[in-house]
Short mmCIF file of all heavy atoms in Angstrom, two decimals:
data_model
loop_
_atom_site.label_atom_id
_atom_site.label_comp_id
_atom_site.label_asym_id
_atom_site.label_seq_id
_atom_site.Cartn_x
_atom_site.Cartn_y
_atom_site.Cartn_z
N ARG A 21 -7.60 -0.35 47.77
CA ARG A 21 -7.17 -0.09 46.42
C ARG A 21 -8.27 -0.51 45.46
O ARG A 21 -8.87 -1.56 45.61
CB ARG A 21 -5.91 -0.88 46.13
CG ARG A 21 -5.27 -0.57 44.80
CD ARG A 21 -3.91 -1.21 44.75
NE ARG A 21 -3.40 -1.21 43.40
CZ ARG A 21 -2.78 -2.22 42.84
NH1 ARG A 21 -2.62 -3.31 43.51
NH2 ARG A 21 -2.32 -2.14 41.61
N ASP A 69 -42.60 11.06 52.48
CA ASP A 69 -42.25 10.91 53.89
C ASP A 69 -40.75 10.73 54.06
O ASP A 69 -40.30 10.11 54.98
CB ASP A 69 -42.99 9.74 54.52
CG ASP A 69 -42.85 8.48 53.70
OD1 ASP A 69 -42.26 8.55 52.60
OD2 ASP A 69 -43.34 7.42 54.16
N GLU A 76 -33.19 10.67 55.28
CA GLU A 76 -33.54 9.97 56.51
C GLU A 76 -35.04 9.68 56.54
O GLU A 76 -35.85 10.43 56.00
CB GLU A 76 -33.16 10.81 57.72
CG GLU A 76 -31.65 11.02 57.86
CD GLU A 76 -31.32 11.85 59.07
OE1 GLU A 76 -32.27 12.36 59.70
OE2 GLU A 76 -30.13 11.99 59.38
N LYS A 138 -37.09 1.97 61.89
CA LYS A 138 -38.18 2.43 62.77
C LYS A 138 -39.07 1.25 63.12
O LYS A 138 -39.36 0.40 62.28
CB LYS A 138 -38.99 3.52 62.07
CG LYS A 138 -40.11 4.10 62.95
CD LYS A 138 -40.82 5.23 62.24
CE LYS A 138 -41.92 5.81 63.14
NZ LYS A 138 -42.93 4.79 63.45
N SER A 140 -42.75 -0.01 64.53
CA SER A 140 -44.13 0.47 64.60
C SER A 140 -44.64 0.42 66.03
O SER A 140 -44.35 -0.52 66.78
CB SER A 140 -45.01 -0.40 63.69
OG SER A 140 -46.37 -0.06 63.86
N THR A 178 -12.55 3.30 56.98
CA THR A 178 -13.12 3.42 55.65
C THR A 178 -13.14 4.88 55.22
O THR A 178 -13.54 5.77 55.99
CB THR A 178 -14.55 2.85 55.62
OG1 THR A 178 -14.50 1.49 56.05
CG2 THR A 178 -15.14 2.92 54.24
N THR A 181 -17.18 9.33 51.75
CA THR A 181 -17.27 10.43 50.78
C THR A 181 -18.63 11.11 50.81
O THR A 181 -18.97 11.84 49.88
CB THR A 181 -17.00 9.89 49.37
OG1 THR A 181 -17.99 8.90 49.06
CG2 THR A 181 -15.61 9.26 49.27
N GLU A 228 -24.00 -22.88 55.36
CA GLU A 228 -23.63 -24.24 55.03
C GLU A 228 -22.13 -24.47 55.21
O GLU A 228 -21.69 -25.51 55.69
CB GLU A 228 -24.05 -24.57 53.60
CG GLU A 228 -25.55 -24.50 53.35
CD GLU A 228 -26.02 -23.08 53.10
OE1 GLU A 228 -25.15 -22.18 53.08
OE2 GLU A 228 -27.24 -22.87 52.94
N ASP A 331 6.07 -53.38 82.61
CA ASP A 331 7.50 -53.60 82.87
C ASP A 331 8.34 -52.37 82.59
O ASP A 331 9.47 -52.27 83.06
CB ASP A 331 8.02 -54.78 82.05
CG ASP A 331 7.53 -54.75 80.62
OD1 ASP A 331 7.05 -53.68 80.19
OD2 ASP A 331 7.62 -55.80 79.94
N THR A 360 4.26 -46.83 70.62
CA THR A 360 3.99 -46.01 71.80
C THR A 360 2.50 -46.05 72.11
O THR A 360 1.65 -45.82 71.24
CB THR A 360 4.43 -44.56 71.55
OG1 THR A 360 5.84 -44.53 71.33
CG2 THR A 360 4.10 -43.69 72.75
N TRP A 378 0.75 -36.63 94.13
CA TRP A 378 -0.69 -36.83 93.92
C TRP A 378 -0.95 -37.56 92.61
O TRP A 378 -1.78 -38.49 92.56
CB TRP A 378 -1.39 -35.46 93.90
CG TRP A 378 -2.87 -35.53 93.67
CD1 TRP A 378 -3.84 -35.66 94.60
CD2 TRP A 378 -3.54 -35.49 92.39
NE1 TRP A 378 -5.08 -35.70 94.01
CE2 TRP A 378 -4.92 -35.60 92.65
CE3 TRP A 378 -3.11 -35.37 91.08
CZ2 TRP A 378 -5.87 -35.59 91.63
CZ3 TRP A 378 -4.05 -35.38 90.05
CH2 TRP A 378 -5.41 -35.48 90.33
N GLU A 382 -2.64 -41.34 92.18
CA GLU A 382 -3.85 -41.55 91.38
C GLU A 382 -3.61 -42.61 90.30
O GLU A 382 -4.49 -43.41 90.00
CB GLU A 382 -4.29 -40.23 90.73
CG GLU A 382 -4.82 -39.20 91.71
CD GLU A 382 -6.06 -39.70 92.43
OE1 GLU A 382 -6.87 -40.43 91.81
OE2 GLU A 382 -6.22 -39.38 93.62
N PHE A 395 11.14 -47.20 85.30
CA PHE A 395 10.54 -45.89 85.08
C PHE A 395 11.62 -44.93 84.60
O PHE A 395 12.68 -44.84 85.23
CB PHE A 395 9.94 -45.39 86.41
CG PHE A 395 8.85 -44.39 86.26
CD1 PHE A 395 7.70 -44.70 85.57
CD2 PHE A 395 8.95 -43.13 86.83
CE1 PHE A 395 6.67 -43.78 85.44
CE2 PHE A 395 7.93 -42.22 86.72
CZ PHE A 395 6.78 -42.54 86.02
N ILE A 396 11.38 -44.21 83.50
CA ILE A 396 12.35 -43.26 82.98
C ILE A 396 11.69 -41.91 82.84
O ILE A 396 10.57 -41.79 82.33
CB ILE A 396 12.93 -43.73 81.62
CG1 ILE A 396 14.02 -42.77 81.14
CG2 ILE A 396 11.85 -43.94 80.58
CD1 ILE A 396 14.81 -43.29 79.96
N ASP A 400 14.43 -33.85 86.34
CA ASP A 400 13.67 -32.89 87.12
C ASP A 400 13.76 -33.28 88.59
O ASP A 400 13.41 -34.41 88.96
CB ASP A 400 12.21 -32.85 86.66
CG ASP A 400 11.41 -31.79 87.38
OD1 ASP A 400 11.42 -30.64 86.92
OD2 ASP A 400 10.78 -32.13 88.40
N TRP A 421 19.37 -38.05 77.13
CA TRP A 421 19.41 -36.93 76.18
C TRP A 421 19.41 -35.59 76.91
O TRP A 421 20.19 -34.70 76.58
CB TRP A 421 18.21 -37.01 75.24
CG TRP A 421 18.22 -36.01 74.14
CD1 TRP A 421 18.80 -36.12 72.91
CD2 TRP A 421 17.62 -34.70 74.17
NE1 TRP A 421 18.59 -34.99 72.19
CE2 TRP A 421 17.88 -34.10 72.93
CE3 TRP A 421 16.90 -34.00 75.13
CZ2 TRP A 421 17.43 -32.82 72.61
CZ3 TRP A 421 16.46 -32.72 74.83
CH2 TRP A 421 16.72 -32.14 73.59
N LEU A 435 35.53 -28.99 75.23
CA LEU A 435 35.84 -30.21 74.48
C LEU A 435 36.25 -29.93 73.05
O LEU A 435 36.87 -30.78 72.40
CB LEU A 435 34.62 -31.14 74.50
CG LEU A 435 34.25 -31.70 75.87
CD1 LEU A 435 33.00 -32.56 75.77
CD2 LEU A 435 35.39 -32.52 76.48
N LEU A 445 35.46 -39.87 76.29
CA LEU A 445 34.37 -39.70 77.24
C LEU A 445 33.09 -40.35 76.72
O LEU A 445 32.39 -41.07 77.45
CB LEU A 445 34.15 -38.21 77.51
CG LEU A 445 32.98 -37.84 78.45
CD1 LEU A 445 33.17 -38.47 79.82
CD2 LEU A 445 32.85 -36.34 78.56
N HIS A 469 44.04 -36.95 80.97
CA HIS A 469 43.80 -35.65 80.35
C HIS A 469 43.85 -34.49 81.35
O HIS A 469 43.56 -33.35 80.97
CB HIS A 469 42.44 -35.65 79.65
CG HIS A 469 42.34 -36.64 78.51
ND1 HIS A 469 42.87 -36.40 77.27
CD2 HIS A 469 41.78 -37.88 78.46
CE1 HIS A 469 42.63 -37.45 76.48
NE2 HIS A 469 41.98 -38.36 77.19
N ALA A 511 5.08 -34.41 70.78
CA ALA A 511 5.20 -33.71 69.51
C ALA A 511 4.00 -33.99 68.61
O ALA A 511 3.45 -33.08 67.97
CB ALA A 511 6.49 -34.12 68.81
N GLY A 557 18.13 -65.13 55.69
CA GLY A 557 19.02 -66.25 55.39
C GLY A 557 18.27 -67.57 55.44
O GLY A 557 17.03 -67.63 55.39
N HIS A 591 37.10 -69.87 71.32
CA HIS A 591 36.83 -70.54 72.59
C HIS A 591 38.01 -70.34 73.52
O HIS A 591 39.16 -70.62 73.18
CB HIS A 591 36.59 -72.03 72.34
CG HIS A 591 36.23 -72.78 73.58
ND1 HIS A 591 37.03 -73.75 74.13
CD2 HIS A 591 35.13 -72.69 74.40
CE1 HIS A 591 36.46 -74.24 75.21
NE2 HIS A 591 35.31 -73.61 75.40
N THR A 596 33.37 -70.58 77.92
CA THR A 596 33.46 -69.14 77.69
C THR A 596 34.04 -68.89 76.30
O THR A 596 35.02 -69.54 75.90
CB THR A 596 34.34 -68.47 78.75
OG1 THR A 596 33.80 -68.77 80.05
CG2 THR A 596 34.37 -66.97 78.56
N LYS A 662 6.91 -63.17 76.32
CA LYS A 662 5.51 -63.17 75.94
C LYS A 662 5.08 -61.82 75.38
O LYS A 662 4.23 -61.75 74.48
CB LYS A 662 4.65 -63.53 77.16
CG LYS A 662 3.17 -63.62 76.86
CD LYS A 662 2.38 -63.99 78.10
CE LYS A 662 0.89 -64.04 77.80
NZ LYS A 662 0.09 -64.38 79.01
N ILE A 671 -6.89 -63.65 72.50
CA ILE A 671 -6.63 -62.24 72.80
C ILE A 671 -7.22 -61.35 71.73
O ILE A 671 -7.80 -60.31 72.00
CB ILE A 671 -5.11 -62.01 72.93
CG1 ILE A 671 -4.54 -62.86 74.07
CG2 ILE A 671 -4.81 -60.55 73.16
CD1 ILE A 671 -3.05 -62.71 74.25
N LYS A 686 -22.61 -45.90 59.83
CA LYS A 686 -22.70 -45.06 58.65
C LYS A 686 -22.62 -43.59 59.06
O LYS A 686 -22.81 -43.24 60.21
CB LYS A 686 -24.01 -45.33 57.90
CG LYS A 686 -24.14 -46.76 57.39
CD LYS A 686 -25.46 -46.96 56.66
CE LYS A 686 -25.60 -48.38 56.17
NZ LYS A 686 -26.89 -48.60 55.46
N SER A 712 -18.96 -19.68 31.44
CA SER A 712 -18.51 -18.28 31.45
C SER A 712 -17.67 -17.91 30.24
O SER A 712 -17.28 -16.75 30.10
CB SER A 712 -17.71 -18.01 32.73
OG SER A 712 -16.56 -18.84 32.77
N MET A 735 -39.18 -28.77 46.35
CA MET A 735 -38.86 -29.97 47.12
C MET A 735 -38.58 -29.62 48.57
O MET A 735 -39.02 -30.31 49.50
CB MET A 735 -37.67 -30.67 46.51
CG MET A 735 -37.27 -31.97 47.21
SD MET A 735 -35.68 -32.60 46.64
CE MET A 735 -34.59 -31.34 47.33
N PRO A 826 40.69 9.31 83.80
CA PRO A 826 40.85 10.68 84.34
C PRO A 826 40.36 10.77 85.78
O PRO A 826 39.57 9.95 86.24
CB PRO A 826 39.96 11.51 83.40
CG PRO A 826 39.82 10.67 82.16
CD PRO A 826 39.88 9.25 82.62
#
Side-chain angles (χ1 to χ4, degrees):
R21 187 169 166 222
D69 50 355
E76 295 180 353
K138 183 177 181 298
S140 173
T178 302
T181 60
E228 298 82 2
D331 45 16
T360 298
W378 179 89
E382 291 298 325
F395 204 60
I396 184 169
D400 184 86
W421 186 88
L435 294 178
L445 177 60
H469 297 282
H591 183 245
T596 303
K662 182 179 178 181
I671 299 179
K686 298 180 180 179
S712 62
M735 181 191 69

